[in-house]
Amino acid sequence: MPKNFTVTDPLKPGQWYDDDTYYQILLVAPRQNKSEGQYIETTILTQKRGQFKKYPLDEKTQQNLKDYIPDLEDIDKTIASYLPSPGVVFPKGFLNALFSDESSKHQSIESNNFYDPIRTLLHTRKISQLIAKTWHCYLEAKATDVWYDFARGKWDEIDSDILDGLIAREIFFFDRQSSPDRLLPNNLDIYYPLNSEQFDEKARFLILPSSKAWQGITLSLLIAGQAYYEIKQGEKTYYHQISQPILSTGEIVIKYGLEVTWDKFQGEIKELQVDPGKSSIAYEAIIPYPPIPSEINLSPENIAKWSQAQDEDGDFPFYKKNEQDRSYLVGVDYFSPPYPYIPLSCT
């Protein structure tokens, strides 16, 4: 049996950006061996950050991520550019309002009182919207031939926004299964170094099999924006991100293990009682994924409206702004949906 190493390896300052640091992504593909109710195959790909520079992003993903790294034009447009995942990010204008020149001497106070709590509320909103998106895309697909194409693996014939929602829905269901379909590489050396001296040469920012977070690793990688599927364009292969980052890599590796429940509409966070050094996560976050409400309780139009709501302006904005000059205020609005039956709290 491999030695039960501390799940979180020590990282030197800035080492998470080194090309030699190991990361994971989730690769999703149509299931080859068709069986009713199982439409995706999942692979956990673990390798050095530098190797992910060989995985170019498709144009739609680049557009979706433009607010996560604003100077994307100046960097490689590859998966490596988003490792580690930043999770949700605040607009520059909101950060300027939060950390104004007047409060520069008290940034730790502002961070404790506003930054961390508001970021958690943004987590709540984004996961709730993702759930609503999976419902909306499923209803749209079932009303047309799109579901037929998805179930038979004809993904290149489906609009990417709908396909993203259908795949995310399957990952929510897949979370209740035991493990991904395959690991690449399939040996345990990356996960369990033979001795502690290998830590320096095998720096890892990973969810390890010995972590309580491993049970929900497919969902964790989806929520962190580390889940992709391949797109073929001529002789080239590009990678499409299924969902934009919500939690950061650090949060899924160190803070939260994710689990899905199908019979609740409210999320729950449980603090884990563990021996020091024996688990990399401090909390178990239980995400509700109930059946889609009937049209009597919640119309498909309202589901779509919430899933597509923009963070700024529009019907359900997250950020509050000054009505006169539209500058940011330090406060938030719609961190939970305005409609019943959509999950209310997710992290």
Side-chain angles (χ1 to χ4, degrees):
M1 293 291 293
K3 182 179 178 181
N4 186 20
F5 281 89
T6 301
V7 178
T8 305
D9 297 340
L11 290 170
K12 298 175 182 177
Q15 194 172 19
W16 39 90
Y17 293 119
D18 287 354
D19 284 350
D20 288 338
T21 298
Y22 280 91
Y23 284 91
Q24 295 157 318
I25 66 169
L26 175 68
L27 289 178
V28 180
R31 179 166 289 279
Q32 298 302 312
N33 299 320
K34 298 292 188 299
S35 58
E36 188 62 29
Q38 294 184 332
Y39 305 114
I40 64 173
E41 288 186 349
T42 57
T43 300
I44 303 295
L45 174 61
T46 304
Q47 58 186 15
K48 295 178 179 180
R49 184 176 182 271
Q51 293 175 289
F52 284 114
K53 292 181 178 179
K54 302 176 182 177
Y55 292 68
L57 299 173
D58 71 311
E59 291 185 6
K60 184 64 177 290
T61 297
Q62 294 176 38
Q63 180 66 24
N64 289 340
L65 289 172
K66 61 182 176 62
D67 293 330
Y68 290 84
I69 299 183
D71 56 348
L72 183 62
E73 294 297 326
D74 299 328
I75 63 176
D76 294 330
K77 302 177 181 67
T78 66
I79 288 178
S81 302
Y82 296 91
L83 294 174
S85 166
V88 293
V89 295
F90 291 132
K92 185 177 180 180
F94 179 77
L95 292 176
N96 290 340
L98 181 58
F99 301 116
S100 64
D101 292 338
E102 296 179 2
S103 63
S104 60
K105 296 181 181 180
H106 309 285
Q107 284 200 6
S108 61
I109 296 176
E110 275 75 16
S111 179
N112 291 342
N113 280 281
F114 301 110
Y115 184 90
D116 290 336
I118 291 176
R119 191 168 184 274
T120 299
L121 292 178
L122 187 52
H123 290 161
T124 296
R125 172 185 170 99
K126 291 295 188 181
I127 295 179
S128 178
Q129 288 184 294
L130 177 59
I131 292 171
K133 177 179 179 177
T134 67
W135 289 355
H136 165 66
C137 293
Y138 176 75
L139 293 174
E140 288 285 303
K142 292 291 285 188
T144 64
D145 293 335
V146 170
W147 180 256
Y148 178 91
D149 292 334
F150 177 74
R152 284 153 184 78
K154 299 180 180 180
W155 291 7
D156 56 343
E157 301 179 16
I158 304 175
D159 176 80
S160 62
D161 287 333
I162 297 296
L163 180 57
D164 293 346
L166 295 177
I167 294 175
R169 176 178 179 269
E170 295 302 311
I171 293 174
F172 274 103
F173 291 150
F174 190 89
D175 180 70
R176 298 296 290 266
Q177 300 183 26
S178 57
S179 62
D181 291 301
R182 63 179 61 85
L183 304 177
L184 289 178
N186 60 9
N187 61 68
L188 295 179
D189 183 52
I190 291 175
Y191 293 108
Y192 296 103
L194 297 178
N195 57 65
S196 59
E197 281 118 18
Q198 291 183 319
F199 279 158
D200 284 340
E201 62 186 74
K202 287 182 177 293
R204 302 172 300 177
F205 208 7
L206 308 173
I207 298 174
L208 302 184
S210 53
S211 170
K212 292 181 181 295
W214 183 265
Q215 178 179 333
I217 187 172
T218 55
L219 183 60
S220 292
L221 293 174
L222 172 74
I223 297 298
Q226 292 174 225
Y228 300 85
Y229 58 84
E230 293 183 355
I231 293 179
K232 302 288 187 181
Q233 294 182 1
E235 297 181 355
K236 294 186 177 181
T237 299
Y238 295 89
Y239 291 83
H240 179 85
Q241 188 181 57
I242 299 167
S243 179
Q244 287 69 64
I246 300 175
L247 297 179
S248 68
T249 302
E251 284 166 324
I252 65 170
V253 171
I254 299 172
K255 190 172 184 179
Y256 295 116
L258 303 185
E259 182 179 327
V260 173
T261 180
W262 296 336
D263 58 358
K264 295 181 180 180
F265 287 87
Q266 291 183 325
E268 181 180 358
I269 292 179
K270 294 182 179 180
E271 185 176 3
L272 297 177
Q273 184 175 358
V274 296
D275 294 333
K278 295 298 183 182
S279 173
S280 67
I281 54 170
Y283 304 97
E284 179 181 56
I286 301 174
I287 297 178
Y289 195 79
I292 301 175
S294 68
E295 190 167 356
I296 297 176
N297 297 321
L298 180 65
S299 72
E301 290 76 19
N302 287 344
I303 293 174
K305 196 173 182 180
W306 172 243
S307 72
Q308 298 166 2
Q310 299 299 308
D311 293 342
E312 299 184 49
D313 306 319
D315 292 325
F316 308 126
F318 179 74
Y319 300 102
K320 288 187 175 181
K321 293 186 176 181
N322 186 308
E323 292 186 0
Q324 294 180 340
D325 61 9
R326 305 306 295 161
S327 61
Y328 288 91
L329 302 174
V330 181
V332 298
D333 206 345
Y334 288 93
F335 57 85
S336 62
Y339 307 114
Y341 299 104
I342 297 178
L344 299 177
S345 179
C346 301
T347 66

